[in-house]
Each structure stands twice: as structure tokens, then as C-alpha cells.
Amino acid sequence: MAMPLKSLGRRAVLAGLPVLLTPPLSWHRSAQAAVRRLEVVAPWELRGLEPAQSGFVFHRMQIAEALVGTDLRGALAPALASRWAVDPDQTTWRFTLRSGAKFHDGTPVTAASVVSALERARSGGGALRDAPITHIRDDGETVVIVTSRPFAPLPAYLADFSAIILAPAAYGGDGQVRELLGTGPYRLSGREGTRRIEAEAVPEAALGIRYTAYTAVPEAETRALMLQGGQADAAMTLSPAAWERLARAGFDMWLAAIPRVRVLKVNAAHPAFASLALRRAISLGIDRVAIARSVLRSPDLAATQLLPPGLAEWHRADLAPLRYDPVEARRLIEAAGYARRRDGLYAKDGRTLGFELFTYPERPELPPMAEAIQAQLRELGLEVTLRLGDSSAVVQGHRDGTLQAALIARNFSLLPDPIGTIAADFRTGGAWGAMNWQDRDLAAAIERYESTFDASEAADVRRSIVALLHHHLPTIPISWFDHRVGFSARISGAVVDPLERSYAIDRLAWRS
Amino acid sequence: MAPRLSAVSLAVAVTAVLVAPELVPTDPLRQSLADALSPPSLDAPFGRDHLGRCVATRLVYGARLSLAIGLGATLSAVAIGVSLGLASARLGGVVDAVIDRAIDIAYGFPGLLLVMVLATLFGSGPVGLTAALTLAAWPDYARLTRLLGRAQLARAHVEAARLMALPELVVLYRHVWPGLAPQIASLASFGVGQAILTISALGFLGLGLRPPTPEWGAMVAEGLSHWHEAPWMLVAPVTAIALTVLGLQAVAGRRRALDGG
Amino acid sequence: MWSAAARLGQGLAVGLVVALLCFAFVETLPGDQALRLAAARFGEDLTDPSRAELVRRELGLERPWPVRLLAWLAALAEGDLGRSAVSRERVAGLLAAYGARSALLAAVALALSLVFAVPIGLLSALHPGGVVDRAAAAFSAFTVSLPSFVRALALMLPFAVELRWFPVAGFGQPSHLVLPATTVALALAAVSSRALRHAVVAEREAAHQAFLAWQGLGLAARVLPHGVRGVAIPMVALLSVQAVHVIDGVAVVETVFAYPGLGLLVVRALLARDLPVIQGVGLVVGAAMAAIGMVADIATRLLDPRQVEASWRRA
């Protein structure tokens, strides 16, 4: 019996359906299979090619270097400069360049080209503009930098991402960067807008991984899933929940304590923070361990002082740790003249004790932490209202005096030496630091630290800086930071840089 | 039968919204960090969230705000959109062109900017949010009404009614609106759900309601990062929103039957 | 009827009005634009008043707003859309890249949504109130209530992570489109399948169908000319509404799938107060919205020529 045409057609379609569905298997693989590429995924996209804006990507991917770098323990180490020293006048520094260094376009690295790159960095928005540099010049194959006063932390400032050294040919006619010609073991080979870059090992470097890529993936869950699904080899900044999930699934997961601290930045002109006693009371009223355990998944992250143990030189084990003691907190508040009302809130002269706490959801753990702090302080007897917004509102509020308190995440490793951030925040009060608060002893200690070249004197001054900050609480530390990273099984030799300055790709190799 | 069930569930939800917050003993703001993310149990039927708060309690307390904002914004948007759409379809000519271009402009304007501006004007409260959501949604109803209304107006029975010299508004209500109602009502019931979820998305940008206000959209936002280890944080508000949408669809359907299609 | 040139002019006018409104609204937002731009450029840690000044001077933000607006208009007259205030990339280039990706995602998502919606809608309409209809209604309500993040995860987990049929996220290959487009399509189909169902049921119940049946016309002769038109018009109208939202309303899907489309571009630009990008997007998207509106307009007029007669009579 002849098959009707219609049913033949139907059978053909049904037969063909599986064929139509299976091609996806190879769609994306075919593009990647041509070359084995190390895929790094991280939250931040590039912001143009300027070192001050996107230097962090090129430095971490080892495409560009600065004069000074760091080792995997966080100490300063030679990079493009093989060594440096300061003259007896303590203001003239000489940096000797690494011999045989070449830019990616083949031109040699000369002191002159380094000087022009540094001048550009100084006039840009990077950290270098905050260093008291008078002038920079080249002297043969040495770079000479003169400071206006003895300034020991200068090398740390030269390690800043914005101070990466690019070839003269990298800059276009208008002074903007046209092409990323650095000195790192990897050369930029492709770029898609601000979202993705691809790099290739320079021929001279004998590296295990030849081809790399960095893709900006804003969503933390997606990064975790990309690692799980084999699309990424290194996933940065994972959420605690995803990290634990992947650890259970057998991935190579790392936890690094990085020197970022979540602190309560307070306005010392506000009645709730005007006296040291009240600041201490608020500090005692926050159960940091509970917050760290439930929101951050790691009770060890509860801050006992401002700087974490990872910054060994700055962390003082002998200081009395910040603790949770609501009884003592109440005593301090009542000693300040406040009385508890029937609704549980403290008041004095008809005014309730409380403040507005601002935070920003750009860092997803901050709002839940702020809510927890709000609830804990409410139990103590303070009325805290929350406000969410953009991080720059903190700077704005500091500038116009309207900020009462803010929960922020402050990076003390912008430079390899925390003094950079400490000075900016606490010498005279900075946009992210003390507000309406100053201390002569602290300012003097910071000055001394910056100007001394004597290691033991520096150690003493460090100790007193930390003690002063711990005693006066111009900002109230809440928790430290865990950087959660995951690697795929395709690679071996993975390691995590505690300062997040490099992805250490040159140490990796394909495992096969 | 099923439409009646959905309508009943909606009625239950509405009653719960109006009465229950006073009857439910637990405090929706009470945190218990030690019990964070605990699964459903006897004293927390929908489990606890990332700060140890009872999800069920927050769901009941949040119903008021979510439904108020969701329904308020959608009904306002429908009112504005349908009026403009009908005017556009009926009057034609220059009025039609102007309204149609206004719809295009409203579409082209970034909704987020609208929310930001209104948040500046009204503060980050429910009023500003409702206004923003209304302004973001009215063009949908205007466009739909304009295109469908035009088709309806061309139908024989409408011409017949007009020829009978019935008043304009009667013609529109009795003969044009029933042809549009099913589509508008369907879109609107989905619109309520989408409005609540928009509040959730805005929360990530700091433009939602002030924490720790209980509200379904905010609960969704908080539950997203815990989807794997505490799915109840998501299941509760999503189910609540879905039941609301279903209930509204059912109510819309029954009204249609009453109107005689 | 409007001529093609007039419509083109109107489209551009819409774009211009949107761009101007964007400028006006961004100017009224509180906060220091230069500070926001500095934060976007250098990161939150380095944001401080001195860097804000740097940006302010570089971009000339201290000039009064009429001067800045005129400068933008003057450049526009020469076809220059300016550069992003954050990354200094050309706005035209950004729009072309992000816009093309959004357009592609929108087209695939809309097409896919019809593939889902038409069978479901028709099956639901066969027996209104029946099992299929109720199940479809529940499924639609549930899908719409599900945050797009969860929908995305629900597709990512089995198809990208487990089966590895598609990449989890990203852009560049056709395979990168499938999951994001499906995520969007499911939400669209949830609404359009119900719209289709309502339209078909309404057509069946419509008085004129009864009239025609009474006249003795067979089912085919009844449904084809009148029924299809009655169903097509609401569907076209709804699709035009959905097309709008797919183009610049799917920032969440774009974020989750790291698919750089206009939604993401606009959100970033707004948060950073990147006016050139915001205005550029407003201009292009405004014109695109006008285009979608006109297509919907023409399509529905074509589907129902009686409207043309009616408008004559109205005049």
C-alpha cells in the first residue's frame, strides 16, 4: 500500500528532529578547539585602555608590568626595575631597569620611555598622583625620581596598576592609549569592547600556557556555573554558597584573605558618634562573629581589629580584640546620659539615639550585613534606618557633611603598603576614612612612618598607628575579606595572590 | 471550576493581606542569625531567610505592599493607557499621530532613568515606585488599545451602534471595550506579577524599597543568591506572585463572561 | 496616509526628543556627575573629590548645561555621537556593537516565543476551561512570576552545565544565543500563548461568526478570512509591545548570561551618568521604537482593510 505523501513528510520530520537538536554539541567547541585557551572569568570589565582605568586587568593577566611588583607573599619585589635604592639625601631614588627588557612591539625598554609613561601616570587618576614626587628624569639606563620630602613608601606607589609601563608607540596622537604594548610574558592579541581580552605568550617566554583570555562576567553565580560547566578555567570572586558547592563537587577551590575590610565609616560630628565612649558602645553592640558566620560563611572573618592577620606586619596580636558585649555597651550609653524608653530605644533631651546607615548593593554582602547591624543595634537601643544607593554617594555625603554612617568595603591593599590607604583615610580624614575626626598623634605617626627609612623605627611607628586606630575607632571595623577563587581540573600549579595583583598564569600548566 | 478556585485563592490572599498581619504573632523583622537559612519547620512553615527571619511571616506582611504597588501601578497604567488608546483610535488624524508618537517616546525613554528621577522626587518609598511602574507600563496598554480599538471600531456592530446615534461613551463601553477587555485584562494580570518582580530587580540597584521592609519582590531579590541551599526563600514569594497572577486572570475571565464577550 | 518620508522624519524626531529628555532628566538627578564618572573610571576605592575634578576638567562638565547640550547637538549635526565619558570609546561604535547583539537576541527570542506560544495557545483554545487550558494558564502564571534569574538558571543547569550542549554564558558564537533567547522567549510565550488563546476563543464566540454560520458558510470559509484576521491583529499588537521590551528590558538576562546588549549598556551608563552613551542610546532606541510602532501600525491596517474605509467615513 502506498504511503500517503503527508505521512511520509511527517516521518521525515520526526526522523530529522534528533539531527536538528544535536549540532549544539559542537557549535562552541569548534571555535575553541582550534586553540587551547586558559579562560579567566572575573566580575570587572575594562574601562577603556588607560592604565589608570583598566591597568588592573592588564597587570593581573601579566600583559603589562610596573617598575615594582610583589611576590606571592605580598612583599615588594622587582618587576621592570631589577633593583632600586635611595640616595643619602633620602629624596633621590634610582631605579635600575631589567636588562634586555623589551616591549611587545620589539622596541627595547629605555629609561626615557619609562619616564614618559610615569609622567602620564602621575597626571592621570591613578594612585601615583598622591605621592609627593617633584620630578622624574632618566639618567642613562636609570630612572631617577625625586620626592619633595623623605618618602619611604615610594616603591609601593610605583607598583600601582596605573603605573604600568607601556611603549611610546602605545600612545596615539591625542595622548590616549591606542594599543596595549606592555612588557609582560603575555601579549594582547584581541579585544572585544570592554568585555573580553585575549592574550598570547610572547615567543621568548617558555610558558606552560600559551593562550589566555579574560572575560568580564558580572554575575557571581554565572562565574561559578561557567567553572562547573567547563567554560572557565579560573573563576574569581565567587559567593560563599557557590564556592562551597563547587568544593563539594571536587573543584580546586582556594580561599585567600585579602586586605579589604568592611568598616562602619562614621561622622564624628553626629551625636551618636561624637564621643569615643559612644563609638565604643556601638562597636560593642555589634555581634561580628554572628554576622560573619551567617552572611559571610566564615566566623574567622569577624574583625578583631582594623587590619587582618594576613598583613603580618600590621596586625597586632597583643591588642584586645573587638568584641560583642551589649551589657558593657549599655553601661557606656547610660553613662553618657541616655535613658531607655519604653520602646527600648535610648533617648536624651527628647532626642532618640540613632542614625542613618548608608550602604551600596554593588557589593552584594553589604546590604544583608547592614540589616543585621540594624537589628543588633535596635536590640541594643539605637534606631538605625537604612538607605541604599551608589558607592559614590559616600564620597558625596562626606564632602557635603550629610553622611551619618556608611558600611563600606575599604581596600587596604590598593598599594602593596597599607600606609597609602591609611594616610589617605586618617591623616586629615579622607572621603573613605575618618569624618570630622583628627588626631595629632596619629597624623604625626603617619608622617614619621612615611619619612623613616629605618626598619625598626618603621616597625615601632606601625605598632603605634595600629594602636591609635584601635583605641579611637574613627571607623569601626566589622569584618575582613575572603577572596574565593576556583580552578578547573584542566590546569595544575594554581596559586592565589593574596594582594590580587596577578593571576600567576605564568606558573600554570595544562594537566594532561 | 478552576477559575472559581483561583478566584477563591485570590480572595483568601486579599483577606490575609488585610487582616492577618495583626493576627500573625511573629515579627517579620526579627532576626536570628544563628538560624539563618534553616529549612521549613513547625515554627517557620516556609523556613528562614539569610538573616534568620521567618519567611512565612514576611510573606504575609509583605502582601500588603506588593499587592498595593503591583495592583496600583497596573490599574493606573491601564486607566491611562486605555483612555489614550481609545482616544487615539476613535479620533484619528493628528490626535492619533501625536499619541502614537508619545507612546514611541515613552518606549524609547529608559525606564530605569524614570525610576531614578521619580525616586528623587518621591523618595525611595512605595509612592515613587508605584508612579515609576505606572509610567513604565502605560504605553503597553495604550498601544494595544489603539491597535485593537481601531479594529473593533471598524466592525459592523459598532457602525450600527453609531448609526443609531448612541452617545459616544456608550458606544465605546458597550461595543468597543468588550472586544478589547480579554486581551487587556490578560496583559494586566501578568503586569501585576511583572511589576512586583521589577521591584526585585530595582533592589539590586538600590532603587527598591528601604530594607528591611518585607515585600515579595525584595524577598525574591534576597533569595536569588541562596537558590541552591535555601530554595524556600524563593519558592514562597514566587508562588505568592504566581497565585496572585492566576487569581487575577480568573477574575478577569469571569468578568468577561458576565459582560457577554 | 503618511508618506514614507514623513514617517522616517517622525522616527528621527522621536529619537531626538528621547535623547533630549534623557539629557534633561539626567541633569536633574542629584549627585555630582563628575564623581560618578570618576567612580566608574577608577573604581570605588579611588573615588575622591580630586579625581572628580580631573574628570570634570577633562570633559568640560563645569560648563553650563545649555552649552553642553548645544555642543552635543552640533556634533550630532555632523554625524558624531561623541565618546563615552567613562571609556572614551566612540558611542556610535558602542551602539552598533551592543545594538546588533540586542537586535539579534530580540529577533531570535521573539521567533522562539512564537514557536512555543502558537501550539500552546491553539491547544488551550480548543477546549476553553479544559485540562490543557488550565494547565497552560497555571504554567504561564508561574513562568511570569519566576524571576528571570531563576529561569536562566533553570536552563543553564541542565543544558549548559550538565549536558554541555551550550555555553553557560558569553557572546560571539551562535550557540551563545540559544539559552538567553530561550529564557526570554519563555516569558514572552507565557503571555502571548494566553493572548492567542483569548483571541481564538473570542473569535469563536463572536457574533459575526454565528451570523456567517447561519448564512451557511462552511468552517474554512468562516475562519480563514475573518477568524485569522481577528486573531492576527491582537497577536501583532502584542508582539510589537513585546518587541519593545525585549530590546531594552532584558538587562537581567543580559547580566546573568554576560551577553552585552543594550539593556546592560543603558544600566551601566545611567549609574555612571555617562551622558553621551545615554543620549546615544535614547536617540537610536527612540527611533527604533518609532519604527516598531509603524510596522505594527501598517501590519494591522493591512490585516484589516475595513479600518481604512472606516477612517474615511470618520473624516
Side-chain angles (χ1 to χ4, degrees), chain A residues 197-215:
Chain A
I197 60 169
E198 292 181 351
E200 190 183 326
V202 295
E204 305 82 65
L207 296 167
I209 310 258
R210 277 208 67 77
Y211 299 97
T212 66
Y214 172 101
T215 312

Side-chain angles (χ1 to χ4, degrees), chain A residues 21-22 24-29 31 43 45-49 52-54 123-130 160 174 176 191-196 215-219 221-222 225-231 245 251 260 360 362-363 390-393 395-396 399 409-411 414 431-432, chain C residues 30-33 35-36 39-54 56-58 83 85-89 94 98 101 149 153 156-157 160-176 178 254-260 264-265 268 271-272:
Chain A
L21 289 175
T22 44
L25 247 163
S26 51
W27 278 1
H28 64 112
R29 291 224 184 279
E45 54 176 11
L46 281 84
R47 309 163 187 141
L49 283 178
Q53 299 179 208
S54 306
S123 60
L128 205 56
R129 63 189 267 123
D130 299 325
D160 186 46
D174 55 357
Q176 307 275 330
R191 182 171 73 96
E192 288 219 41
T194 53
R195 301 245 141 211
R196 181 180 163 86
T215 312
V217 176
E219 178 57 53
E221 276 305 317
T222 310
L225 290 175
M226 285 173 87
L227 184 63
Q228 227 177 322
Q231 203 183 345
R245 209 173 73 229
F251 283 85
R260 194 182 276 276
Y360 41 95
E362 283 149 60
R363 293 197 174 267
D390 184 71
S391 62
S392 61
V395 179
Q396 184 93 36
R399 193 161 57 168
R410 189 66 175 133
N411 188 355
L414 270 179
W432 292 97
Chain C
D32 186 357
Q33 278 188 30
L35 199 57
R36 292 274 191 137
R41 285 192 182 194
F42 307 119
E44 104 209 37
D45 293 302
L46 285 175
T47 310
D48 66 14
S50 80
R51 286 177 176 83
E53 280 317 302
L54 196 67
R56 201 189 315 276
R57 269 182 285 119
E58 181 193 322
R83 288 176 180 273
V86 175
S87 66
R88 308 308 294 149
E89 288 178 295
L94 282 173
Y98 283 76
R101 284 190 287 257
F149 181 89
L153 278 180
M156 266 184 188
L157 281 170
V161 178
E162 295 297 317
L163 290 168
R164 305 210 176 178
W165 280 0
F166 307 100
V168 172
F171 61 98
Q173 306 294 323
S175 57
H176 286 115
V178 177
E254 289 172 10
T255 309
V256 176
F257 285 103
Y259 186 86
L264 212 49
L265 185 68
R268 288 282 159 89
L271 291 176

Side-chain angles (χ1 to χ4, degrees), chain B:
Chain B
M1 183 60 62
R4 214 165 292 151
L5 249 168
S6 310
V8 164
S9 73
L10 185 65
V12 169
V14 171
T15 332
V17 161
L18 297 174
V19 178
E22 278 61 53
L23 296 179
V24 173
T26 20
D27 180 0
L29 301 182
R30 182 167 188 73
Q31 297 182 6
S32 171
L33 292 180
D35 301 319
L37 302 172
S38 25
S41 64
L42 273 177
D43 58 282
F46 283 126
R48 292 182 181 278
D49 70 6
H50 59 309
L51 292 172
R53 299 177 295 210
C54 173
V55 173
T57 314
R58 286 178 71 77
L59 202 66
V60 171
Y61 275 81
R64 265 187 192 166
L65 258 179
S66 304
L67 288 175
I69 299 177
L71 283 170
T74 308
L75 288 174
S76 315
V78 168
I80 298 174
V82 169
S83 316
L84 286 174
L86 283 177
S88 188
R90 175 66 189 90
L91 297 171
V94 176
V95 175
D96 182 30
V98 166
I99 292 181
D100 205 28
R101 296 292 85 73
I103 295 174
D104 291 333
I105 291 172
Y107 272 146
F109 192 76
L112 184 58
L113 183 52
L114 202 56
V115 174
M116 289 162 100
V117 171
L118 288 169
T120 319
L121 276 178
F122 294 111
S124 61
V127 177
L129 267 179
T130 310
L133 291 168
T134 306
L135 289 174
W138 75 263
D140 285 353
Y141 303 106
R143 175 140 287 163
L144 210 60
T145 307
R146 175 179 173 269
L147 293 174
L148 292 180
R150 227 171 33 185
Q152 277 294 110
L153 282 165
R155 293 210 165 177
H157 58 102
V158 175
E159 278 306 306
R162 191 127 18 88
L163 286 172
M164 291 197 321
L166 283 174
E168 194 63 50
L169 283 176
V170 173
V171 175
L172 285 174
Y173 183 63
R174 277 296 224 40
H175 297 277
V176 177
W177 172 244
L180 307 172
Q183 294 293 343
I184 301 287
S186 176
L187 197 63
S189 45
F190 286 121
V192 173
Q194 283 163 339
I196 299 175
L197 285 179
T198 305
I199 302 176
S200 158
L202 290 174
F204 285 108
L205 300 171
L207 290 165
L209 292 167
R210 252 178 216 244
T213 325
E215 189 272 321
W216 294 350
M219 291 171 71
V220 166
E222 289 163 353
L224 286 179
S225 48
H226 303 280
W227 65 272
H228 192 255
E229 47 183 347
W232 46 90
M233 280 181 73
L234 275 176
V235 169
V238 167
T239 313
I241 299 172
L243 285 176
T244 307
V245 172
L246 256 182
L248 286 171
Q249 289 247 312
V251 166
R254 302 200 66 217
R255 282 220 53 210
R256 212 177 350 112
L258 287 172
D259 280 352

